[in-house]
Amino acid sequence: MRNFIKLKSILNILVPSLVRDKIRSGKKNFSDEEGEVTIVFIDIYQFDNIVKSYSGQELLTFLDQVYNAFDQLCDQFGLQKIETVGKTYMACGGLKSAEKKIDSRLLNRHHSVRVTDFAMEISNFVKNTYLKNGKVLEIRIGIHTGHIISGVVGEIKPQFSLIGDTVVKCNAISAASLPQKVSVSKQTHHYLELYTNNYWFQ
């Protein structure tokens, strides 16, 4: 019984709740048309140089602290964390199943606005996050709004993924962004103009 509880706790941490619900209902591999969502990629700038100056344990501890802070902000803005791959953190707003579980007050704000607010908070956070050499951690942020499909990929090690051109474009926007800047696509900018007039981006 203790092992079962431990396994359940690990599952709750590693698998998004929207995926857990489908697994419990007997679905193994599935895909959902999500319609339009807003994706954000956060890329740690000059990560290779950081790796060289940290021991393995130091790097893991540092990334754990940074990504835990990102996770907490995800919850605050009603976003779904998708994955972390080394230097890159990916999250999404507007996923149908995830939207059903967030505070109704957050739903009054379009997902493009919530994702952008999240990105600005991340920018403020890293301004006070220092590397061991005393320099401030630098990141690049890219945001894009578009259609995607979500689903679980893989049998041996299933992983929840977002699939589609929207993901590719968002990744490219992040990679082309200047350090410590939030770059948004024309599609996202359109919604920001529609739902708020408080945003000015490069």
Side-chain angles (χ1 to χ4, degrees):
M1 181 58 132
R2 185 177 297 174
N3 288 337
F4 172 76
I5 294 174
K6 184 176 181 181
L7 181 61
K8 186 177 179 181
S9 298
I10 293 172
L11 182 66
N12 289 342
I13 293 171
L14 295 179
V15 181
S17 60
L18 64 161
V19 177
R20 293 198 303 270
D21 293 343
K22 291 181 181 292
I23 292 174
R24 287 182 183 128
S25 67
K27 293 184 179 180
K28 238 183 178 183
N29 299 101
F30 64 88
S31 62
D32 290 316
E33 172 58 58
E34 295 288 351
E36 201 163 62
V37 302
T38 301
I39 296 174
V40 56
F41 273 87
I42 304 167
D43 188 70
I44 297 177
Y45 185 62
Q46 293 186 334
F47 186 69
D48 289 345
N49 292 336
I50 295 173
V51 170
K52 292 175 184 176
S53 62
Y54 280 73
S55 69
Q57 186 57 54
E58 286 175 334
L59 185 62
L60 285 174
T61 299
F62 178 73
L63 289 177
D64 184 57
Q65 292 172 345
V66 170
Y67 288 156
N68 276 337
F70 290 7
D71 288 347
Q72 291 174 22
L73 287 170
C74 260
D75 289 340
Q76 181 180 328
F77 290 99
L79 309 182
Q80 177 63 58
K81 173 185 176 180
I82 304 302
E83 64 181 6
T84 57
V85 181
K87 65 175 183 172
T88 303
Y89 186 99
M90 177 185 179
C92 181
L95 292 172
K96 292 176 182 176
S97 297
E99 296 283 284
K100 295 176 183 177
K101 298 179 180 295
I102 68 174
D103 191 312
S104 59
R105 289 171 295 183
L106 290 170
L107 293 177
N108 293 327
R109 298 161 65 216
H110 191 262
H111 47 77
S112 63
V113 177
R114 284 187 277 124
V115 169
T116 306
D117 284 343
F118 164 78
M120 299 304 290
E121 284 297 318
I122 293 292
S123 294
N124 290 331
F125 168 76
V126 298
K127 287 177 183 177
N128 297 303
T129 302
Y130 295 89
L131 301 169
K132 64 186 296 185
N133 62 9
K135 294 183 178 179
V136 172
L137 173 67
E138 292 186 305
I139 58 173
R140 298 182 294 188
I141 301 178
I143 302 174
H144 179 54
T145 303
H147 288 78
I148 57 95
I149 295 172
S150 68
V152 171
V153 178
E155 286 281 349
I156 297 175
K157 189 180 178 182
Q159 181 176 348
F160 179 69
S161 300
L162 301 184
I163 303 166
D165 189 53
T166 298
V167 178
V168 177
K169 287 182 178 178
C170 188
N171 191 20
I173 292 168
S174 171
S177 179
L178 294 173
Q180 309 303 63
K181 298 293 183 182
V182 177
S183 297
V184 303
S185 67
K186 291 181 180 179
Q187 290 85 343
T188 302
H189 192 271
H190 164 74
Y191 285 112
L192 294 176
E193 287 186 323
L194 190 63
Y195 292 105
T196 178
N197 58 3
N198 294 326
Y199 290 103
W200 297 92
F201 297 104
Q202 295 203 143

